[in-house]
Amino acid sequence: MPNFKNKTYRLSEFIEIVKNKQERSEQYNPLYNYAIYAVEAEVTGDLEIYVGDPVEVTDSDEEIYLEYALTHDMWYFCSDENIQDVVDLALSQRADISIKQLVEALGYYLEHDDFMDF
């Protein structure tokens, strides 16, 4: 089991992990799939998030959330693919991009379903 999952972070801390690709394996490995959960909707660097397994969807389209997310009144924030795509694209546009700008880029993506240009 990857050691970055099933933990809480500040969003800025986790974006640093994504920026450094520490939450990915070189070859596809489903153990590295994750989702991010949060209580608050406002995207800030100080936002407390929980990184855990993705929401399970049954054959009858019932969504089964993680027990941790349910007991802490957290909702689905974004997928591993969302945050990785936002961070990777921003880094390809500007290698010296700050964590604050990456947080803003993620917030922009989640609000507009589009990537911010740098």
Side-chain angles (χ1 to χ4, degrees):
M1 173 66 78
N3 65 358
F4 69 91
K5 283 172 60 173
N6 303 313
K7 294 181 182 179
T8 58
Y9 298 88
R10 285 189 2 254
L11 181 58
S12 59
E13 292 172 326
F14 193 70
I15 284 180
E16 183 75 39
I17 290 170
V18 175
K19 179 181 175 183
N20 295 320
K21 300 184 179 189
Q22 295 170 307
E23 73 343 328
R24 309 176 203 193
S25 64
E26 290 187 28
Q27 301 292 329
Y28 174 74
N29 183 339
L31 291 177
Y32 283 81
N33 293 351
Y34 62 88
I36 298 175
Y37 303 87
V39 174
E40 300 291 325
E42 186 176 351
V43 180
T44 67
D46 289 332
L47 176 66
E48 184 177 304
I49 61 167
Y50 180 78
V51 178
D53 289 323
V55 175
E56 272 188 59
V57 180
T58 67
D59 291 338
S60 58
D61 290 334
E62 178 187 0
E63 294 180 344
I64 302 172
Y65 283 82
L66 296 178
E67 188 65 33
Y68 184 93
L70 293 173
T71 59
H72 290 84
D73 294 323
M74 294 181 143
W75 54 277
Y76 176 83
F77 184 73
C78 73
S79 72
D80 50 0
E81 293 173 345
N82 294 146
I83 195 168
Q84 289 169 355
D85 288 350
V86 168
V87 170
D88 291 351
L89 180 61
L91 282 168
S92 74
Q93 293 176 356
R94 243 184 100 185
D96 65 340
I97 197 160
S98 71
I99 295 299
K100 182 179 179 190
Q101 290 171 310
L102 291 172
V103 170
E104 290 173 17
L106 180 61
Y108 184 88
Y109 178 82
L110 294 174
E111 183 176 337
H112 301 283
D113 195 26
D114 194 13
F115 295 98
M116 182 181 270
D117 291 322
F118 288 98

